[in-house]
Structure formats: structure tokens, C-alpha cells
């Protein structure tokens, strides 16, 4: 019998993840706290649940794609490590970005309630999610990870097993630290090119044919130049990820000066009302800073 899958959290990432799981032929039940995102799955083969409890009752493995620990605790009804939802014999797969400390505590609480916890933070934004090309970092019981591998195959291009919890969350923050530097460097570079009045087509040619060209730059650079800030990775989400990285780094005595600088730039964009715009809108925040 095919593993019954549930997915809670139909945001920018959750919707395409659910669509790809369904396309892979896996039985799927979805839920979102606000009704709007649920409607697009009505009249489809996907079962739309009326509550989180209903998702857990109808599923063997439940994917959580929620904003943060606070939202996760609220959805699961977690108070003092006791859950309103029946987790017994359920596999709970957390695909969002959390601090290693929070994730480890959540896993211990789920285990006490009779469930099994798997960390599986994903790397990628809206476009890779739509294409089913996310990178999944998984941690937990390796046999359980293998059991839910068909789900990871549906949403991603590769799964990297990171050992025991919280190995995957730590790996995600390490990866995000590097990505934050690329984001910041791109925004500064575009702003610099505009300031000097460079031919932006030639500038793009130089960057995308240079030694540091990568898939991220190929995706983001044209949008940054066109000032297309439709959200792929929203400023508010990047700011949250930076907070997670900085907190995680502090817990092991690692310095993150570039991440802290990037977080300050994000704060300027947040204050400018750009929370829901793509992270490349920080080019405007940098320009505003220089003009002061």
C-alpha cells in the first residue's frame, strides 16, 4: 500500500510541493490555516482537509512547510511538549528552516508522543519548487528517511542525508550563510553598475560568463536588472532565515559578520514596506542608504 502523505502549509513553497507530490501519484491530503490556498486543490485528486487533525488522521507521513517554530507549535497545538494532535505512529517531516535547538526539541517532543520526526529543510525558492528541483537535507532515522524517499523524489532533485537530528537544520544554515553572501554581493554589484551608468546588458554578460557564475545568479540577475521583485524568496523570509543562522552560529561560538550586515540591509527593506517583495529589492535599500 502506498504511503499516505499529508502536507500542512500551502504558502509560496507548499503549493508547488503539494502539486508535485500529487503528480507523482502519491495519495495526498492538504491543509492550510487560511482557506484561500486550499481552494486551488478543490475538484482535484488531492483531498482538502478541514483541520490539521484530519490531515494526521488520514496520513502516514505529514510534511510541515510552515513559517517558523511559533507557527509550527500553533498548528500542532504544542504546549509544554504536549500536542493537541494525535501523533502516534505518524512520521512528521519538517521541511522549513528552524534553529537546530528548536528542531531537536520538537523531535524529542514528537518522539514522546509516539511519533517519528524527520528533519528535511529544503534549499531553493519558488521556481525550483515548481520544477521539483529542490535540494533536500534530511536527518533522523535513516530507515524512515528511506521510507519517505518517494516524497523527496517528487519535490527535489537530490536528497543529502545529514545523519542525526539536528544535522540537517545545521547544514541548512551553513548553506544559507553562503547564499546570503551571494545575495548581498549581487545586490551591491547591480547597484554599483547602475551608479556608474554601465550598460546592464554588457554587465550581465560579464557576470554570467565569469568564474563565479552559478544557477542562482542566472535566475536572479535578470530579475534584479529588470527590477522585477515578484517574490521568489521574500525579504521577510530571508530576514527570518538570517535570524536563524545568526542564532545558530552564536550557539557554537561562530562569528557571522556578513550575515549580520545582510540582516541590517533586510531591515531597511522591511521598514520601506517591502517585506513581501523578492529579496533583490534590497538593491533599493542599498541605494537609499548611499543617498543619505
Amino acid at each position: 500500500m502506498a504511503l499516505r502523505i499529508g502536507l500542512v502549509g500551502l504558502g509560496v513553497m507548499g503549493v508547488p510541493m503539494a502539486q508535485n507530490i500529487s503528480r507523482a501519484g502519491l495519495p495526498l491530503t492538504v491543509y492550510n490555516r487560511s482557506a484561500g490556498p486550499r481552494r486551488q486543490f478543490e475538484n482535484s485528486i488531492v483531498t482538502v482537509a478541514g483541520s490539521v487533525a484530519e490531515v494526521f488522521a488520514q496520513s502516514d507521513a505529514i510534511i510541515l512547510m510552515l513559517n517558523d517554530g511559533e507557527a509550527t507549535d500553533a498548528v500542532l497545538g504544542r504546549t509544554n511538549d504536549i500536542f493537541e494532535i494525535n501523533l502516534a505512529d505518524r512520521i512528521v517531516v519538517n521541511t522549513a528552516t528552524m534553529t537546530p535547538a528548536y528542531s531537536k526539541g520538537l523531535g524529542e517532543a514528537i518522539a514522546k508522543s509516539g511519533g517519528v520526526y524527520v528533519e528535511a529543510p529544503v534549499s531553493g525558492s519558488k521556481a525550483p519548487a515548481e520544477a521539483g528541483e529542490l535540494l533536500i537535507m534530511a536527518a533522523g532515522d535513516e530507515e524512515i528517511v528511506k521510507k519517505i524517499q518517494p516524497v523527496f523524489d517528487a519535490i527535489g532533485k537530490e536528497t543529502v542525508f545529514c545523519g542525526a537530528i539536528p544535522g540537517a537544520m545545521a547544514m541548512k544554515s551553513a548553506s544559507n550563510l553562503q547564499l546570503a553572501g551571494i545575495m548581498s554581493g549581487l545586490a551591491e554589484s547591480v547597484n554599483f553598475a547602475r551608479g556608474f551608468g554601465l550598460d546592464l546588458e554588457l554587465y550581465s554578460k560579464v557576470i554570467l560568463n565569469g568564474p563565479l557564475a552559478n544557477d542562482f545568479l542566472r535566475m536572479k540577475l535578470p530579475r534584479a536588472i529588470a527590477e522585477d521583485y515578484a517574490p521568489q524568496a521574500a525579504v521577510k523570509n530571508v530576514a527570518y532565515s538570517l535570524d536563524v543562522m545568526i542564532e545558530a552560529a552564536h550557539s557554537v561560538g561562530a562569528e557571522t559578520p556578513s550575515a549580520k550586515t545582510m540582516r541590517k540591509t533586510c531591515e531597511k527593506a522591511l521598514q520601506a514596506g517591502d517585506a513581501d517583495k523578492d529579496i533583490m529589492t534590497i538593491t533599493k535599500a542599498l541605494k537609499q542608504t548611499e543617498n543619505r
Side-chain angles (χ1 to χ4, degrees):
M1 179 182 292
L3 203 65
R4 299 174 302 163
I5 310 302
L7 189 146
V8 178
L10 296 172
V12 171
M13 299 290 285
V15 167
M17 286 168 62
Q19 291 170 335
N20 284 324
I21 291 170
S22 178
R23 290 189 190 111
L26 298 171
L28 178 65
T29 301
V30 299
Y31 176 76
N32 194 71
R33 284 189 288 181
S34 57
R38 300 199 302 257
R39 295 192 184 104
Q40 60 192 296
F41 292 98
E42 293 175 353
N43 302 316
S44 73
I45 62 172
V46 175
T47 300
V48 179
S51 68
V52 179
E54 188 178 335
V55 175
F56 274 77
Q58 297 183 12
S59 308
D60 303 303
I62 298 87
I63 313 299
L64 301 180
M65 177 45 89
L66 300 166
N67 288 334
D68 51 30
E70 183 178 349
T72 300
D73 289 344
V75 164
L76 297 178
R78 180 187 178 195
T79 305
N80 297 324
D81 288 343
I82 295 177
F83 300 91
E84 294 176 1
I85 307 300
N86 182 6
L87 304 180
D89 301 320
R90 297 295 184 269
I91 302 169
V92 180
V93 185
N94 185 6
T95 61
T97 300
M98 312 282 184
T99 64
Y102 171 84
S103 185
K104 183 177 180 181
L106 177 63
E108 290 170 350
I110 288 173
K112 287 178 183 178
S113 296
V116 179
Y117 180 65
V118 172
E119 284 183 338
V122 298
S123 182
S125 56
K126 182 181 178 182
E130 290 174 339
E133 294 181 350
L134 297 169
L135 172 66
I136 298 102
M137 289 152 275
D141 186 312
E142 191 168 6
E143 290 306 311
I144 298 297
V145 171
K146 290 178 180 177
K147 186 175 182 179
I148 57 177
Q149 187 62 48
V151 178
F152 297 152
D153 291 341
I155 65 174
K157 61 182 179 180
E158 186 171 355
T159 302
V160 178
F161 183 66
C162 301
I165 293 167
M169 289 300 174
M171 189 71 75
K172 176 66 187 294
S173 280
S175 173
N176 275 353
L177 278 167
Q178 182 180 30
L179 183 58
I182 296 173
M183 289 177 179
S184 180
L186 175 59
E188 291 178 19
S189 178
V190 169
N191 200 41
F192 180 93
R194 283 206 180 101
F196 269 89
L198 298 181
D199 182 318
L200 295 182
E201 185 175 342
L202 291 179
Y203 161 78
S204 295
K205 185 175 183 179
V206 168
I207 297 298
L208 297 182
N209 287 282
L212 299 181
N214 55 52
D215 289 343
F216 180 83
L217 290 178
R218 281 186 280 273
M219 176 176 64
K220 288 292 187 183
L221 180 56
R223 298 170 69 90
I225 288 176
E227 298 183 71
D228 176 3
Y229 302 133
Q232 295 287 322
V235 172
K236 63 183 180 183
N237 295 330
V238 174
Y240 165 75
S241 292
L242 285 161
D243 289 339
V244 168
M245 293 178 232
I246 293 166
E247 181 180 339
H250 179 74
S251 72
V252 293
E255 291 291 336
T256 54
S258 60
K260 291 176 180 177
T261 299
M262 174 68 163
R263 182 61 179 83
K264 290 178 182 178
T265 304
C266 285
E267 190 60 33
K268 296 179 188 298
L270 292 171
Q271 292 175 0
D274 292 337
D276 293 313
K277 293 181 180 178
D278 189 75
I279 186 59
M280 283 300 102
T281 193
I282 63 171
T283 55
K284 295 192 302 179
L286 289 169
K287 186 174 182 180
Q288 289 164 3
T289 299
E290 292 175 358
N291 287 341
R292 289 174 183 166

